[in-house]
Amino acid sequence: MLRYLCWRLLAILPLVLIISFIAFVLLNLAPSDPAEVALRVNEIVPTPEAIEGMRRELGLDKPFFTRYFLWLLAGFQLDFGTSFLTRKPVIQEMLTALPPTLWLAATALLFTLIIALPLALWCVAKPHSLIDKSIRLIVFVLTAIPNYWLGLLLIWAVAVSFRLVTCQWYVDTTIGHFTGICTLFRLYWHLFTFVAGRNA
């Protein structure tokens, strides 16, 4: 078993390299010049001299395979470069977005346990019943819809049309000294009271 796992792990490496190379090629096939985009994002006039300087800063003046190996090495070191927009390290931006991402993941898991699990047990207990067929039909339809489109539809229906919840920016605030599940419950309570007060 251990030998099989080691073999499978070793087989992943060539696949990762192939996927990374394809991704890098696709990035380089983009019609826009990254140096010009970086200048325009920072509201700098993209003169030929400025574009050339930005290309040197981004390492775009190096040969293709040199850039690929440097990019791959930096990725293994978790160095994803600097954001064009904020001029901060990308890894720092990712870590900033990690708490709300974990919050959303925990919320999805919570809804799965509360809604999906009982429905699944019901379908298992009563196979081929009307409820079982209805639930399976709904699952098939929802699975066929792309997640991003389904999310937009739910936001429009639940938050905009029926105003059951509210759409708001995520604000990174410190909630006392609580951590873990206590913080999660306080976040849910804050969201519930905010929505209830707004809809009252």
Side-chain angles (χ1 to χ4, degrees):
M1 185 64 180
L2 181 60
R3 182 179 179 182
Y4 175 76
L5 290 176
C6 293
W7 173 254
R8 297 299 297 177
L9 290 175
L10 289 176
I12 291 176
L13 292 178
L15 182 62
V16 171
L17 291 176
I18 293 173
I19 294 175
S20 67
F21 183 76
I22 294 175
F24 190 78
V25 170
L26 293 177
L27 288 174
N28 283 267
L29 290 178
S32 57
D33 187 356
E36 184 177 350
V37 172
L39 292 172
R40 292 187 182 277
V41 166
N42 291 278
E43 299 181 353
I44 300 175
V45 179
T47 61
E49 294 78 11
I51 293 177
E52 186 64 27
M54 182 58 68
R55 290 182 65 85
R56 285 195 301 269
E57 180 181 344
L58 297 176
L60 298 176
D61 56 334
K62 296 181 175 62
F64 175 81
F65 286 102
T66 302
R67 287 189 285 117
Y68 169 69
F69 285 114
L70 291 176
W71 175 75
L72 191 64
L73 181 61
F76 281 121
Q77 296 174 350
L78 299 181
D79 180 11
F80 303 119
T82 304
S83 171
F84 290 162
L85 187 61
T86 62
R87 308 303 296 176
K88 295 180 181 179
V90 174
I91 187 65
Q92 181 179 343
E93 298 288 339
M94 294 172 64
L95 292 177
T96 302
L98 185 60
T101 302
L102 294 178
W103 184 29
L104 289 175
T107 304
L109 179 60
L110 182 64
F111 274 95
T112 300
L113 295 176
I114 294 176
I115 299 176
L117 187 58
L119 290 178
L121 294 176
W122 194 341
C123 292
V124 171
K126 297 183 178 181
H128 306 295
S129 63
L130 180 60
I131 296 178
D132 178 35
K133 293 179 180 179
S134 301
I135 292 176
R136 281 195 291 176
L137 177 61
I138 294 173
V139 170
F140 289 151
V141 172
L142 294 180
T143 305
I145 301 176
N147 292 334
Y148 59 88
W149 180 242
L150 180 61
L152 290 175
L153 289 178
L154 289 175
I155 291 174
W156 173 79
V158 178
V160 178
S161 296
F162 298 102
R163 295 184 177 274
L164 298 178
V165 297
T166 182
C167 292
Q168 58 179 328
W169 291 100
Y170 174 81
V171 180
D172 187 10
T173 57
T174 303
I175 306 179
H177 60 279
F178 294 97
T179 57
I181 195 67
C182 295
T183 300
L184 186 62
F185 282 137
R186 294 198 64 179
L187 284 171
Y188 285 135
W189 177 251
H190 170 73
L191 181 62
F192 173 76
T193 53
F194 180 84
V195 173
R198 181 173 178 176
N199 292 335

